[in-house]
Amino acid sequence: MRPRKSLESCGTGAGLGVLAAAGCSRRPRRACSTRPGAGLARPREIQDEELQGFCSRIIKLLREDLGPAAVDALQRLFLIVWATKYPRRLDKTCVDLLQATLCLPTCPEQLQVLCAAILREMSPSDSLTLSCDRAPNTRQMSLVASVLLAQGDRRQEVRSVGQRIFTVLESRQPEGPSLRHLLPVLSKVVGLAPGTLQEDQTDLLSKRLVDWLRHASVQQGLPHSGGFFSTPRARQPGPITEVDGAVASDFFTVLSTGQHFTEDQWLNVQAFSMLRAWLLHKSPEGPSTLDTDDKSELEGSTLSVLSAASTATRLLPPRERLREAAFEYCQRLIEQSNRRALRKGDADLQKACLVEAILILDVLCRQDPSFLYRTLSCLKALHTRLGTDPGSERAVLPLAQFFLNHGEAAAVGSEAIYQHLLTRLPSEHFHNPMLAFEVIRFCRDNLPLFDLHLLGILKSSFPNLFKFLAWNSPPLTSEFVGLLPALVDAGTAVEMLHTLLDLPCLTAALHLQLRSSSSPSERPLWDASLRTPSCLEAFRDPQCQGLFQHLLRTKASGSAERLTLLHQLLQPMASCARVAQCAKAVPALLQAFFSAVIQFADRALTTQLALLLLERSDSLYQVPQYEARVHRVLSSQFLALCQRNPSLVVELARELLEFVGSVSNIHSRAGVFTSVVWAIGEYLSVTCDRRCTVEQINKFFEALEALLFEVTQSRPSADQPRCPPQVVTVLMTTLTKLASRSQDLIPRVSLFLSKMRTLAQGPASSSTHSEEDAEAIRIRATELLNLLKMPSVAQFVFTPSAEVCHPRYHRDTNTSLPLALRMVSRLVEKESSLLPG
């Protein structure tokens, strides 16, 4: 059986993620239970007195017997310190014994791992006296280093750990201590404090990495111990094989397979796991300082091809030799990834190594342009192969990143790669959450690098990218909020708004698409489509395919018709949990959409979007609470559009008259209706648009007056529920505003307001409005009547000039708007209060 060689386990910290598993006993123990609500409750409830008594028992065990009882006690102690949010204080004697046990040469490995884990959980601590010098071997040194690095470099622990490891690295003889346990620690040191390494140390490690990458043994290692019937012939090591079972024909890599591995082969694996980070060390942006000027001149020229041959000489500096070895290693990995793996684990490792190889090649080409022309042909052929390999979709992302970084310098067209990334991946792998996040993150992070052509591909592909969002809305919502401004422009704004409003429909359609492609036995029992087979039948119906094809389109192609039919077909899916999750994300996305559009929208686009808001507010997918959430956003954004283009009300006079003329709009979309009525009163004036006429004002006044009369005089019923008080007060205010601009209407509105005030005070109002609502209506009617008693002041208040927006009108007590309001309040008081004395 092949030993595990995952990159994650080889390149994280001190490799304790794998070793920590050894600290758990094979026997089930109640204290180590991870059952929710049971395993962690007891450790968190332990008080300090009980903990100190438990530490006394551990002290006794560590002094007398390092056996199973000590392992069990340390497991319980680790669970206590790990499960508690605040740091636990242990007895100093216990801490000292934990450190001593960790460095004890004869201590079992299981106990050492537990001691290191407990000490790490207590970090940072002032009572630690550990030092890498006290560790008798490299395995224990890695455990001690993990504790020191967890301290946070308060006493320059990172530097001391790094210097000690390099001391071992420099003095190591061929038969010296193993470095397998120290390389992950060294990688961590480089990441935490790269400036602590000296030039001779970096050269030394580069040389060692070259040896480990290129000169590992191609023979399998010997087993640790032979069986009773084993013979010398049976224990002879065989050659290393490839993932497809063939004998390896080239040097050893992380993708080479075997029953047992030698020390240098394990170092080869660990060297590859830290290779990219080490290449970026001291050279994160580009070529090293030794050859920056020379190679910047060669980039993009034919001399780069000639310079590639010269790098094979052994006279190159250690860092250049490492680059050459890394390039050959990555080329070998790409060749190995083309083999058909016999085991699924090897196939998964192939994909991971292919991604890492492309990323390393990208770093090499950024640091040394001479590698670019040696890499292009290989990666172009790789993309051709990836197009037919269904399991290597994640390798497309680093490949696209490579050509995005170097395509211009190499004068190579890479549109096919971006089409693959933005077209095939979202359509075929929308249900892969990790891939979805990586694709969207790729688009966000590389926006500054996109040229106009690539940006056009990205914008036209937004319906396809929205499939990721529709299926993975909770984790991707914030990412799309940041990406939306780059996706929307004047040409795609209208279609994108339709798509956002129908995003829950897209989720339902993707659900049906995924289920229709699998057999019934493979569908989970909670699948909503099993309970509603009519949805799948409609999805497969040729007459409805046009609707679903438009919903599942990959490119922007305009807006769809027959939305009502689409909503009816998908209505049984409205209760699906994923659809409900997507519906919750739409309001935030709409806010981001309008915030972006408002920055560049001209008058024509603003008018088009305002009309679309009115139309779609009554045509939404009926997901629970979805309509109310969307209406809140649409109502506020309609006002924002009117504020940007005040003449919008005059230009859409016919449509707005039709909208406010229907009582049903009050009950089905009260929020949007209120915003429309308020916008009419605010912007239907000559001040906002010189095309506004008295006839238009009179038409709106009559329509709103009739509407207000109808909703206040009729009693609530099942067909016509009561009118919200907010709508009543906004209607009264808008009528008053219009009357102040056409003073012939003042007597009519004054009479109507008087009736409204009387109606709000009468007993009949209790059947339609609560006491608080009726009082609000009465107060608003009284305030409006008082203003209309002074028409000139009412016009100043309701239709202020642009100068009123100047801060002077709010600071100067002699010219401020509050002064005018206070004056009106005094003038309309009782006559006795106006008399002198």
Side-chain angles (χ1 to χ4, degrees):
M1 184 175 180
R2 176 182 177 179
R4 296 180 59 187
K5 300 189 300 178
S6 65
L7 297 177
E8 291 80 1
S9 64
C10 293
T12 56
L16 296 179
V18 178
L19 294 178
C24 297
S25 174
R26 295 180 181 179
R27 293 175 295 168
R29 301 187 185 275
R30 288 175 293 176
C32 294
S33 172
T34 56
R35 182 166 56 89
L40 299 181
R42 173 59 181 157
R44 288 172 178 168
E45 294 172 357
I46 292 178
Q47 302 299 319
D48 290 341
E49 296 80 6
E50 187 178 357
L51 178 60
Q52 296 306 320
F54 186 56
C55 287
S56 299
R57 180 189 167 204
I58 291 178
I59 292 172
K60 182 178 179 181
L61 289 172
L62 292 180
R63 285 174 174 172
E64 298 177 357
D65 179 24
L66 298 180
V71 173
D72 181 79
L74 289 180
Q75 286 176 359
R76 295 170 187 266
L77 180 60
F78 170 73
L79 185 60
I80 292 171
V81 298
W82 173 81
T84 311
K85 295 180 180 179
Y86 57 89
R88 290 280 197 174
R89 296 187 60 182
L90 302 182
D91 185 79
K92 185 178 184 302
T93 305
C94 182
V95 175
D96 292 341
L97 272 175
L98 290 173
Q99 298 179 77
T101 304
L102 176 59
C103 299
L104 194 64
T106 58
C107 178
E109 180 180 354
Q110 191 177 22
L111 279 174
Q112 293 173 347
V113 171
L114 284 170
C115 291
I118 295 169
L119 293 173
R120 284 199 310 271
E121 288 297 326
M122 295 175 55
S123 298
S125 174
D126 295 328
S127 58
L128 290 183
T129 59
L130 282 175
S131 173
C132 289
D133 298 332
R134 295 170 52 188
N137 54 59
T138 56
R139 181 183 57 77
Q140 286 177 280
M141 187 186 298
S142 69
L143 294 176
V144 172
S146 69
V147 178
L148 293 175
L149 294 180
Q151 287 293 101
D153 203 25
R154 298 190 304 170
R155 302 172 182 172
Q156 293 188 341
E157 288 88 352
V158 177
R159 183 182 183 88
S160 63
V161 169
Q163 296 302 320
R164 177 56 182 162
I165 292 177
F166 269 101
T167 301
V168 176
L169 188 65
E170 292 170 354
S171 61
R172 180 174 181 263
Q173 301 299 320
E175 301 298 329
S178 171
L179 293 175
R180 285 175 52 186
H181 307 289
L182 297 184
L183 275 188
V185 182
L186 183 58
S187 179
K188 190 71 173 178
V189 170
V190 172
L192 291 175
T196 60
L197 302 185
Q198 301 173 2
E199 190 67 27
D200 58 337
Q201 293 175 333
T202 59
D203 291 344
L204 173 64
L205 183 56
S206 296
K207 293 177 182 178
R208 290 295 177 89
L209 288 174
V210 171
D211 292 338
W212 295 328
L213 289 173
R214 289 292 282 111
H215 304 299
S217 173
V218 293
Q219 295 293 319
Q220 298 187 36
L222 290 171
H224 294 294
S225 61
F228 181 78
F229 295 101
S230 61
T231 63
R233 181 180 298 274
R235 291 197 300 268
Q236 289 301 316
I240 288 294
T241 58
E242 304 287 359
V243 291
D244 59 357
V247 176
S249 58
D250 208 336
F251 60 89
F252 180 92
T253 71
V254 67
L255 286 179
S256 300
T257 62
Q259 292 295 322
H260 304 281
F261 292 92
T262 62
E263 179 70 19
D264 60 348
Q265 289 167 353
W266 281 114
L267 288 172
N268 178 284
V269 173
Q270 291 186 326
F272 176 67
S273 70
M274 66 177 293
L275 179 57
R276 181 157 56 100
W278 183 251
L279 288 173
L280 291 171
H281 173 62
K282 286 192 176 181
S283 188
E285 300 295 334
S288 61
T289 55
L290 297 176
D291 54 357
T292 302
D293 297 334
D294 295 336
K295 289 178 180 174
S296 62
E297 296 176 359
L298 297 180
E299 183 168 2
S301 68
T302 55
L303 293 178
S304 300
V305 182
L306 300 177
S307 66
S310 63
T311 59
T313 177
R314 295 183 178 182
L315 300 178
L316 287 173
R319 199 164 190 83
E320 298 300 315
R321 290 177 57 195
L322 177 60
R323 289 173 183 165
E324 187 67 29
F327 177 79
E328 295 174 358
Y329 197 99
C330 292
Q331 295 281 77
R332 167 110 166 96
L333 286 180
I334 293 175
E335 181 272 326
Q336 287 179 299
S337 68
N338 195 28
R339 296 176 178 269
R340 185 179 182 85
L342 300 179
R343 304 178 183 87
K344 183 181 183 302
D346 292 342
D348 294 338
L349 187 60
Q350 274 183 307
K351 300 168 189 175
C353 290
L354 181 60
V355 171
E356 184 69 12
I358 299 173
L359 292 175
I360 292 175
L361 288 175
D362 185 25
V363 173
L364 292 175
C365 292
R366 279 188 281 133
Q367 294 180 350
D368 188 346
S370 66
F371 289 109
L372 179 58
Y373 297 93
R374 302 163 62 187
T375 306
L376 286 175
S377 59
C378 171
L379 293 188
K380 289 168 70 175
L382 175 62
H383 176 251
T384 303
R385 175 163 61 88
L386 293 179
T388 59
D389 187 355
S392 56
E393 57 275 356
R394 291 191 64 183
V396 177
L397 278 165
L399 196 61
Q401 185 71 62
F402 180 92
F403 282 96
L404 189 62
N405 292 338
H406 308 288
E408 183 177 356
V412 175
S414 52
E415 182 174 347
I417 298 175
Y418 304 130
Q419 292 288 0
H420 186 180
L421 175 69
L422 300 175
T423 303
R424 287 185 54 185
L425 291 190
S427 295
E428 300 173 4
H429 305 283
F430 59 87
H431 48 81
N432 186 331
M434 182 60 70
L435 182 65
F437 178 81
E438 290 179 350
V439 171
I440 302 306
R441 199 66 179 171
F442 170 85
C443 295
R444 280 197 65 183
D445 293 344
N446 291 288
L447 283 175
L449 301 179
F450 288 177
D451 55 20
L452 292 178
H453 178 67
L454 185 53
L455 198 58
I457 297 176
L458 179 67
K459 290 181 177 180
S460 64
S461 301
F462 82 84
N464 217 26
L465 293 175
F466 276 16
K467 294 176 184 178
F468 283 140
L469 175 62
W471 195 260
N472 309 279
S473 53
L476 287 186
T477 300
S478 60
E479 296 296 324
F480 263 92
V481 167
L483 184 61
L484 268 178
L487 296 178
V488 64
D489 58 16
T492 60
V494 173
E495 184 178 355
M496 186 176 293
L497 181 55
H498 276 293
T499 307
L500 286 173
L501 293 174
D502 290 328
L503 202 61
C505 295
L506 178 58
T507 306
L510 291 172
H511 203 288
L512 294 175
Q513 180 188 25
L514 193 62
R515 299 309 171 188
S516 65
S517 60
S518 59
S519 62
S521 61
E522 296 174 353
R523 301 175 197 155
L525 295 177
W526 49 262
D527 183 8
S529 63
L530 288 178
R531 299 192 299 270
T532 54
S534 59
C535 290
L536 280 174
E537 293 174 2
F539 185 79
R540 296 163 179 162
D541 189 351
Q543 296 182 355
C544 302
Q545 282 186 356
L547 284 174
F548 287 105
Q549 286 176 357
H550 176 80
L551 198 59
L552 298 171
R553 66 197 183 278
T554 60
K555 296 289 184 180
S557 59
S559 305
E561 303 294 337
R562 300 192 297 166
L563 287 175
T564 303
L565 175 59
L566 180 64
H567 296 163
Q568 291 174 353
L569 294 174
L570 294 175
Q571 191 56 43
M573 297 289 297
S575 59
C576 179
R578 197 177 294 274
V579 174
Q581 279 187 335
C582 179
K584 292 179 181 179
V586 171
L589 296 166
L590 288 174
Q591 293 281 10
F593 168 81
F594 282 106
S595 298
V597 169
I598 210 72
Q599 304 297 325
F600 62 81
D602 56 8
R603 178 170 296 183
L605 180 58
T606 303
T607 303
Q608 199 173 3
L609 291 175
L611 278 176
L612 182 57
L613 290 185
L614 300 180
E615 295 172 3
R616 288 305 309 269
S617 62
D618 196 33
S619 180
L620 295 172
Y621 190 32
Q622 296 301 308
V623 180
Q625 301 181 358
Y626 176 61
E627 192 174 55
R629 295 191 187 105
V630 171
H631 281 174
R632 282 195 290 268
V633 179
L634 296 185
S635 58
S636 63
Q637 295 305 324
F638 182 82
L639 295 178
L641 293 175
C642 290
Q643 185 178 8
R644 179 175 177 83
N645 182 16
S647 61
L648 200 60
V649 174
V650 175
E651 294 175 355
L652 300 178
R654 182 174 59 84
E655 290 82 1
L656 295 180
L657 273 172
E658 182 180 351
F659 182 83
V660 300
S662 175
V663 180
S664 62
N665 288 335
I666 297 178
H667 308 296
S668 62
R669 35 185 170 170
V672 178
F673 185 88
T674 303
S675 296
V676 170
V677 172
W678 188 90
I680 291 172
E682 187 73 11
Y683 299 108
L684 187 64
S685 67
V686 180
T687 305
C688 297
D689 195 325
R690 294 185 178 275
R691 294 173 295 176
C692 179
T693 62
V694 176
E695 289 76 15
Q696 281 183 329
I697 294 176
N698 291 339
K699 284 183 180 180
F700 275 99
F701 182 90
E702 292 172 358
L704 296 176
E705 183 186 37
L707 182 67
L708 182 58
F709 180 82
E710 183 176 354
V711 299
T712 55
Q713 297 300 320
S714 59
R715 290 185 175 276
S717 63
D719 298 332
Q720 185 175 342
R722 73 179 184 90
C723 180
Q726 294 86 354
V727 176
V728 175
T729 55
V730 171
L731 281 170
M732 291 191 304
T733 304
T734 298
L735 287 173
T736 307
K737 290 180 179 180
L738 296 180
S740 69
R741 297 162 194 163
S742 179
Q743 298 193 2
D744 293 341
L745 301 174
I746 290 181
R748 289 174 60 181
V749 73
S750 297
L751 178 62
F752 198 91
L753 291 174
S754 300
K755 292 181 179 179
M756 288 297 302
R757 182 172 58 180
T758 304
L759 182 65
Q761 293 174 337
S765 64
S766 61
S767 61
T768 57
H769 298 288
S770 65
E771 183 177 350
E772 294 181 358
D773 294 342
E775 181 65 14
I777 294 174
R778 186 193 65 79
I779 293 175
R780 177 60 59 89
T782 303
E783 293 172 347
L784 296 175
L785 277 171
N786 291 341
L787 281 172
L788 287 177
K789 291 180 180 180
M790 300 288 292
S792 59
V793 177
Q795 187 174 10
F796 171 71
V797 173
F798 289 128
T799 314
S801 61
E803 297 177 354
V804 176
C805 297
H806 196 275
R808 182 174 65 88
Y809 278 84
H810 302 274
R811 296 172 183 167
D812 191 345
T813 58
N814 296 320
T815 60
S816 63
L817 185 60
L819 175 64
L821 294 176
R822 287 195 299 270
M823 183 184 301
V824 173
S825 299
R826 293 189 60 190
L827 291 175
V828 297
E829 288 176 353
K830 293 182 180 180
E831 184 176 358
S832 58
S833 64
L834 296 176
L835 296 176

